[in-house]
């Protein structure tokens, strides 16, 4: 790959506008829901799957369920997407408010990150 193409691809990556929002992972067997925010929805589930597959996830209950039921024992959802303008602006407060709202609406749900 030539230098110009590399620069172009790097600039595209730096100026991308990733989807942000609230995700959930639900156990099909128990119905337990684990929710979290994500600043890049495209990568969120892959990250959690990797941690769970390597038995390195910080949420012990989710890890126990994963060990018992495996990857196919879960449903993965994007619960809500944050609409935002400036990709350089920190959206953490808005995302946290969205997560809190989701948790109020779903009292059986727990925060994914611990």
């Amino acid at each position: 790959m030539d230098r110009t193409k590399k620069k172009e691809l790097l600039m595209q990556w730096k100026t991308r506008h990733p989807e942000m929002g609230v995700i959930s992972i639900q156990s099909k067997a128990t119905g337990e829901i684990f929710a979290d925010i994500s600043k890049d929805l495209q990568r969120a589930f892959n990250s959690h799957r990797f941690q769970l597959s390597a038995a390195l996830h910080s949420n012990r209950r989710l890890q126990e369920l994963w060990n018992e039921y495996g990857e196919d024992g879960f449903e993965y959802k994007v619960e809500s997407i944050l609409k935002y303008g400036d990709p350089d602006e920190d959206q953490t407060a808005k995302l946290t408010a969205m997560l809190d709202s989701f948790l109020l609406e779903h009292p059986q749900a727990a925060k994914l990150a611990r």
Side-chain angles (χ1 to χ4, degrees):
M1 185 180 319
D2 68 2
R3 179 176 252 152
T4 306
K5 183 66 174 173
K6 282 183 183 180
K7 280 186 173 184
E8 181 182 320
L9 291 173
L10 181 61
M11 183 57 72
Q12 286 175 358
W13 188 84
K14 285 183 177 180
T15 58
R16 70 191 181 102
H17 203 85
E19 282 192 319
M20 298 182 190
V22 175
I23 62 166
S24 71
I25 301 174
Q26 181 173 11
S27 169
K28 293 176 185 176
T30 67
E32 291 173 76
I33 300 172
F34 302 89
D36 201 3
I37 61 172
S38 174
K39 292 187 178 182
D40 190 340
L41 295 175
Q42 187 175 8
R43 296 175 41 186
F45 294 116
N46 288 339
S47 175
H48 288 291
R49 281 187 188 109
F50 174 79
Q51 292 174 41
L52 289 162
S53 295
L56 298 171
H57 204 281
S58 61
N59 188 304
R60 288 185 181 164
R61 178 63 183 151
L62 179 59
Q63 186 68 62
E64 290 170 2
L65 292 169
W66 179 276
N67 294 345
E68 187 172 347
Y69 299 109
E71 182 175 356
D72 293 335
F74 294 88
E75 184 176 312
Y76 309 89
K77 285 185 189 175
V78 174
E79 297 294 346
S80 57
I81 296 174
L82 175 66
K83 304 292 184 202
Y84 66 100
D86 183 3
D88 293 327
E89 184 180 327
D90 185 13
Q91 304 295 334
T92 305
K94 293 176 186 174
L95 290 167
T96 301
M98 290 172 66
L99 176 60
D100 291 343
S101 177
F102 176 81
L103 293 172
L104 283 173
E105 292 171 18
H106 301 85
Q108 77 281 16
K111 286 187 178 180
L112 185 56
R114 295 202 178 207

